[in-house]
Amino acid sequence: MDKGGELVAPGSDAPNAAAAAGASVGRFIDPKPLVEKSRNWPSYFGPAVSILLLAGAVWQLRDMDFSKVGDLMPTSLLFWLVFLFSYFQAPLTDWIMFRRLWQLPFSGMGALLRKYVSNEILLGYLGEVYFYAWAKRHVTSIASPFGAIKDVTILSALTGNISTILMVVLAAPMIGQLNLGISSNTFAWSIAFVMGTSILFLLLRRQLFTLPASDLWFVANVHFVRIFSYALLSGLLWHLILPGISFTYWLLLATMRQLLSRLPFLPNKDVIFVSLATFFVGRDTEVSHAMLLLATLTVAAHFVIGLVFGVTGLIREKSS
């Protein structure tokens, strides 16, 4: 990976033509016209996201059904500590990355939490737009935050694709032996799509990336840690809900679920996952209830975070 952000071996130099092409595409991608036409748009976007967060938080209430999972509600302190760490893992790893890139203080965690919840309960990548608007107003140490946010987002997709391909290779013998109702053509197209987008990212690496090589490697490594630690934490949470089932099986199921969630074009992913759970642990009803419990708790957490940051965001904007 060179200093222009190319994913090549350290020490190699990118050609001048490639650098010029990268600068040209960089100017095309960077949304400078939007900023020049309306320099105050970040100040309007923050309150808009706050209002949307409030609406989204209230809308999430429709999915909350504690009556079906009350019997499985854990009482151990360890479960709640692991759940909180699992929930805050994404914004925390984002902070680690932007701490390296921008020297972002810990107070920036508030904006990263809003980014995370916006993506989860509103619209994918809306959080990145909000974070860009926030950074334009609050991060004075950099001229334009767009390049760093763009690189972090692209590397998130690229590392996710690489992890998916790795999991497919490791799980291929097991998937082939199970009758999961997955069409071989659909599965092949899903793998081809993941590999194709990964190859496209690598072919356009000189044009897409703007951060120095050392920063790109750091961000990629943090993304990999986040992906695999998420599977580990999910398996641990399920094990704490149903401790009678070996943690090894839960970890395997968590990995398979992460694989299924990242493969496009696969229909009825939840049905496929329940089939896997039945094959490994033979207790599909309890597994379904455990999944429902974690989904309900996550929705509840989104509601609380969305409500808190929606209200405080509006109050802060009104006072300023």
Side-chain angles (χ1 to χ4, degrees):
M1 196 180 291
D2 67 11
K3 293 184 179 180
E6 179 185 356
L7 294 171
V8 296
S12 59
D13 295 326
N16 292 333
S24 145
V25 174
R27 286 193 296 270
F28 173 74
I29 295 176
D30 198 345
K32 288 182 179 179
L34 175 63
V35 177
E36 289 172 358
K37 291 179 182 178
S38 178
R39 295 182 181 275
N40 292 325
W41 75 270
S43 63
Y44 304 135
F45 194 76
V49 170
S50 297
I51 294 173
L52 288 174
L53 278 178
L54 282 173
V58 174
W59 180 251
Q60 290 291 306
L61 289 175
R62 80 194 193 285
D63 293 327
M64 295 176 65
D65 189 356
F66 287 104
S67 61
K68 293 183 179 180
V69 295
D71 294 338
L72 286 176
M73 190 69 69
T75 57
S76 69
L77 178 61
L78 179 59
F79 170 85
W80 293 106
L81 290 176
V82 175
F83 174 76
L84 288 175
F85 185 76
S86 174
Y87 183 82
F88 288 102
Q89 181 210 37
L92 181 60
T93 49
D94 276 345
W95 179 79
I96 291 173
M97 288 184 281
F98 286 104
R99 175 68 179 176
R100 160 73 177 254
L101 301 178
W102 297 344
Q103 294 299 305
L104 186 69
F106 194 73
S107 58
M109 271 292 292
L112 291 170
L113 274 169
R114 289 161 65 97
K115 166 181 171 292
Y116 171 63
V117 177
S118 296
N119 285 339
E120 292 294 315
I121 70 176
L122 295 177
L123 183 66
Y125 296 111
L126 178 64
E128 275 71 22
V129 179
Y130 161 76
F131 188 57
Y132 171 69
W134 178 88
K136 287 289 292 183
R137 300 178 62 193
H138 296 91
V139 182
T140 58
S141 58
I142 54 174
S144 175
F146 179 79
I149 296 174
K150 168 180 61 68
D151 286 6
V152 169
T153 304
I154 293 174
L155 283 175
S156 176
L158 181 58
T159 53
N161 287 353
I162 293 173
S163 302
T164 300
I165 295 170
L166 178 60
M167 285 187 283
V168 166
V169 172
L170 296 176
M174 177 174 51
I175 294 176
Q177 294 174 5
L178 299 177
N179 184 18
L180 300 177
I182 304 176
S183 165
S184 57
N185 288 336
T186 302
F187 190 78
W189 276 111
S190 297
I191 300 300
F193 180 83
V194 172
M195 294 186 66
T197 53
S198 302
I199 293 172
L200 182 63
F201 283 145
L202 293 175
L203 289 176
L204 297 177
R205 58 192 181 273
R206 297 171 183 165
Q207 292 88 348
L208 291 176
F209 295 117
T210 56
L211 291 173
S214 58
D215 288 340
L216 290 175
W217 281 112
F218 178 83
V219 170
N221 288 331
V222 173
H223 278 307
F224 279 123
V225 170
R226 176 159 69 185
I227 291 169
F228 292 108
S229 64
Y230 179 78
L232 179 65
L233 290 170
S234 297
L236 180 57
L237 285 171
W238 283 334
H239 178 64
L240 292 172
I241 296 173
L242 297 174
I245 301 175
S246 170
F247 171 67
T248 303
Y249 288 121
W250 285 126
L251 182 58
L252 181 59
L253 280 174
T255 304
M256 292 300 297
R257 188 187 185 196
Q258 194 164 345
L259 168 61
L260 292 173
S261 68
R262 290 182 175 275
L263 287 177
F265 314 135
L266 295 186
N268 303 320
K269 293 182 180 182
D270 288 339
V271 175
I272 296 173
F273 179 74
V274 171
S275 299
L276 282 171
T278 304
F279 176 83
F280 284 112
V281 302
R283 298 160 66 177
D284 56 322
T285 301
E286 290 182 326
V287 170
S288 298
H289 287 170
M291 292 174 58
L292 179 60
L293 172 63
L294 286 181
T296 303
L297 292 177
T298 302
V299 168
H302 289 337
F303 168 74
V304 173
I305 297 297
L307 187 64
V308 169
F309 281 98
V311 172
T312 57
L314 288 176
I315 293 175
R316 187 184 308 111
E317 293 294 340
K318 184 177 181 180
S319 62
S320 61

